[in-house]
């Protein structure tokens, strides 16, 4: 059994923990910016393949306090790196340090690398490591002098589903889009709309959720090449994921005023395998008037920081607010960093949730 860790953006720990529990994974617990659980190779494969919101899946080999480089070296060398890393594998080191005495990232990198080498020398009886085979990326984080040492099983971040090689300006990460859809409780039964859809990430993630399609089904992960792992688990997880997919009639629409963005959105939906259930339309969000018995809008309009000026953003919020209030039966989940959003929109949210879109502090404004 491994101690496993899913790093995430602040505010998303709860939804990720819920995802892991629905997968029936063990010992799920949350900390700021991380969700931990326990499991074997099957759990690693399941989390990588099926997680919608987490950033990656790490095996944590050790966590300890260190305030001096000697202490960092000795405690790193004491960990059982040989349980994962073969004698001819590559094991680069990267990481970060925040609010800690050991603040030099480059020095920490060198010391951790040297400590792992010394450990493997004593185990394998070698003086030199060719590092010519598969990669076991070592990741360290040092927060308030507490060191976490992990090996990354994912490779590319889990947001890289593979359907979005091209995007327009200010893209929303796939993991954040999935988080917004998850928080809206959309499961494919209601109408779904994104009137600021851009390159289509939110409607595509909504379609993947409606279909119950595992987001990592068609991509590869670092641990798929590890000789220290039972590789049969990946096929097992993928077969189970395919068998769990739904096939229904879903009403998902993305709209935007930019025809080039919509062309990209259609290409992305095709690559994601959801072009049969997502429709993209050229439309102005300020004229939103779609009728429904039950619907959910999940959207990420411009913030007025990079794409357009603040006053233009406020005008857009006002016009969209006026349009939304004329509709019936549409719940709204809107992500914005604009401090005056509610005033511009014309109504205070029924509920708000703090989230981070990259490094931008935002609120998810919820209107029921």
């Amino acid at each position: 059994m491994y101690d496993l860790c899913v790093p995430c953006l602040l505010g998303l720990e709860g939804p990720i923990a819920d995802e892991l529990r629905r997968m029936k994974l063990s010992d799920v617990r949350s900390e700021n910016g991380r969700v931990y659980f326990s499991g074997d190779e099957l759990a690693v494969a399941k989390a990588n393949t099926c997680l919608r919101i987490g950033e990656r899946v790490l095996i944590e080999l050790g966590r300890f306090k260190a305030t001096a480089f000697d202490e960092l070296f000795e405690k790193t060398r004491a960990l059982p790196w040989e349980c994962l890393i073969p004698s001819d594998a590559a094991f680069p080191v990267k990481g970060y340090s925040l609010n800690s005495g050991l603040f030099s990232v480059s020095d920490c990198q060198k010391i951790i690398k040297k400590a792992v080498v010394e450990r493997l020398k004593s185990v394998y009886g070698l003086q030199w490591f060719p590092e010519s085979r598969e990669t076991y990326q070592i990741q360290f984080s040092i927060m308030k002098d507490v060191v976490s040492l992990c090996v990354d099983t994912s490779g590319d971040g889990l947001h890289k589903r593979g359907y979005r090689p091209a995007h327009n300006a200010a893209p929303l990460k796939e993991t954040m889009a999935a988080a917004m859809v998850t928080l809206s409780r959309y499961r494919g039964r209601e109408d779904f709309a994104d009137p600021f859809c851009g390159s289509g990430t939110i409607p595509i993630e909504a379609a993947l959720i409606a279909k119950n399609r595992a987001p990592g089904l068609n991509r590869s992960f670092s641990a798929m090449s590890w000789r220290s792992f039972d590789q049969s688990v990946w096929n097992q997880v993928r077969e189970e994921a395919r068998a769990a997919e739904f096939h229904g009639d879903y009403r998902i629409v993305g709209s935007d005023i930019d025809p080039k963005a919509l062309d990209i959105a259609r290409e992305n939906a095709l690559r994601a395998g959801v072009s049969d259930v997502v429709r993209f339309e050229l439309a102005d969000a300020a004229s939103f008037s779609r009728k429904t018995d039950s619907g959910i809008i999940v959207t990420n309009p411009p913030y007025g920081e990079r794409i357009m000026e603040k006053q233009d953003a406020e005008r857009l919020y006002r016009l969209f607010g006026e349009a939304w209030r004329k509709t019936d039966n549409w719940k709204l989940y809107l992500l914005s960093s604009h401090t005056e959003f509610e005033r511009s929109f014309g109504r205070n949210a029924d509920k708000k949730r703090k989230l981070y879109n990259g490094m931008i502090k935002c609120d998810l404004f919820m209107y029921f």
Side-chain angles (χ1 to χ4, degrees):
M1 293 286 282
Y2 300 109
D3 290 322
L4 299 163
C5 167
V6 180
C8 63
L9 296 170
L10 290 173
L12 297 181
E13 298 89 348
I16 291 169
D18 290 342
E19 280 195 276
L20 294 169
R21 291 188 184 103
R22 283 195 297 271
M23 294 178 208
K24 300 189 178 352
L25 297 175
S26 303
D27 195 22
V28 177
R29 57 210 187 274
S30 301
E31 295 183 4
N32 281 345
R34 290 189 165 204
V35 182
Y36 285 89
F37 65 106
S38 301
D40 54 10
E41 286 97 335
L42 185 63
V44 170
K46 187 176 288 189
N48 272 299
T49 304
C50 300
L51 267 177
R52 298 187 187 281
I53 304 173
E55 293 303 309
R56 55 185 66 248
V57 180
L58 309 175
I59 296 173
E60 187 176 72
L61 259 71
R63 184 161 34 160
F64 52 81
K65 188 168 185 179
T67 56
F69 287 126
D70 286 349
E71 189 178 15
L72 176 64
F73 177 85
E74 293 299 337
K75 289 181 176 178
T76 300
R77 186 172 61 174
L79 297 176
W81 297 98
E82 67 278 3
C83 74
L84 281 176
I85 304 174
S87 62
D88 54 355
F91 48 100
V93 178
K94 66 180 180 181
Y96 63 88
S97 177
L98 295 172
N99 303 319
S100 300
L102 301 177
F103 59 84
S104 171
V105 170
S106 60
D107 287 338
C108 292
Q109 267 181 304
K110 292 172 187 174
I111 287 164
I112 291 168
K113 179 75 173 187
K114 184 179 179 183
V116 177
V117 167
E118 290 302 314
R119 171 74 184 202
L120 296 181
K121 275 184 180 180
S122 67
V123 172
Y124 293 125
L126 298 173
Q127 291 301 308
W128 179 76
F129 293 91
E131 299 198 46
S132 58
R133 298 286 296 275
E134 73 273 26
T135 298
Y136 295 75
Q137 176 69 60
I138 296 171
Q139 291 206 358
F140 70 88
S141 66
I142 308 177
M143 295 275 290
K144 297 180 180 178
D145 298 323
V146 175
V147 181
S148 170
L149 291 174
C150 301
V151 179
D152 178 17
T153 72
S154 301
D156 287 336
L158 297 184
H159 69 279
K160 293 191 176 180
R161 319 283 208 222
Y163 66 74
R164 200 176 71 173
H167 53 73
N168 64 340
L172 189 73
K173 265 189 177 182
E174 294 91 326
T175 43
M176 176 57 79
M180 292 167 63
V181 176
T182 298
L183 290 168
S184 80
R185 301 186 183 276
Y186 173 72
R187 295 296 182 271
R189 288 181 286 274
E190 307 93 338
D191 285 357
F192 184 95
D194 177 4
F196 299 93
C197 75
S199 56
T201 307
I202 291 175
I204 290 169
E205 291 297 321
L208 293 174
I209 286 172
K211 285 175 168 284
N212 197 37
R213 177 171 296 164
L217 198 59
N218 297 314
R219 58 158 287 184
S220 60
F221 303 96
S222 282
M224 294 176 81
S225 67
W226 291 2
R227 284 166 287 157
S228 53
F229 260 39
D230 174 6
Q231 293 302 315
S232 67
V233 296
W234 297 96
N235 286 334
Q236 179 183 338
V237 165
R238 289 183 173 187
E239 287 173 10
E240 290 173 355
R242 289 190 183 99
E245 280 193 22
F246 303 145
H247 304 280
D249 180 23
Y250 308 113
R251 301 173 301 282
I252 303 170
V253 178
S255 55
D256 204 278
I257 58 170
D258 182 355
K260 291 183 180 178
L262 291 173
D263 287 341
I264 293 171
R266 293 184 185 101
E267 292 169 4
N268 290 344
L270 189 63
R271 277 188 288 265
V274 296
S275 59
D276 58 326
V277 296
V278 183
R279 189 170 77 255
F280 292 102
E281 299 176 349
L282 187 67
D284 188 342
S287 303
F288 186 87
S289 60
R290 198 173 294 277
K291 304 295 183 184
T292 184
D293 292 327
S294 177
I296 296 175
I297 298 170
V298 179
T299 195
N300 176 46
Y303 300 160
E305 296 185 13
R306 291 171 296 181
I307 298 176
M308 63 199 316
E309 294 300 322
K310 189 174 181 180
Q311 289 181 342
D312 291 338
E314 290 175 356
R315 177 178 172 275
L316 181 58
Y317 297 155
R318 177 175 58 79
L319 292 173
F320 179 58
E322 290 171 358
W324 176 75
R325 283 190 292 278
K326 292 174 185 174
T327 65
D328 293 322
N329 305 320
W330 282 101
K331 295 178 183 176
L332 172 63
Y333 295 77
L334 185 149
L335 187 72
S336 179
S337 67
H338 202 298
T339 54
E340 297 295 319
F341 170 78
E342 288 168 297
R343 178 187 59 78
S344 302
F345 187 73
R347 180 179 149 183
N348 288 338
D350 296 312
K351 188 177 178 183
K352 290 189 287 188
R353 187 183 185 115
K354 291 194 183 302
L355 297 174
Y356 282 81
N357 183 10
M359 299 301 292
I360 303 173
K361 185 178 179 181
C362 299
D363 282 294
L364 183 64
F365 297 93
M366 309 180 196
Y367 296 87
F368 307 134

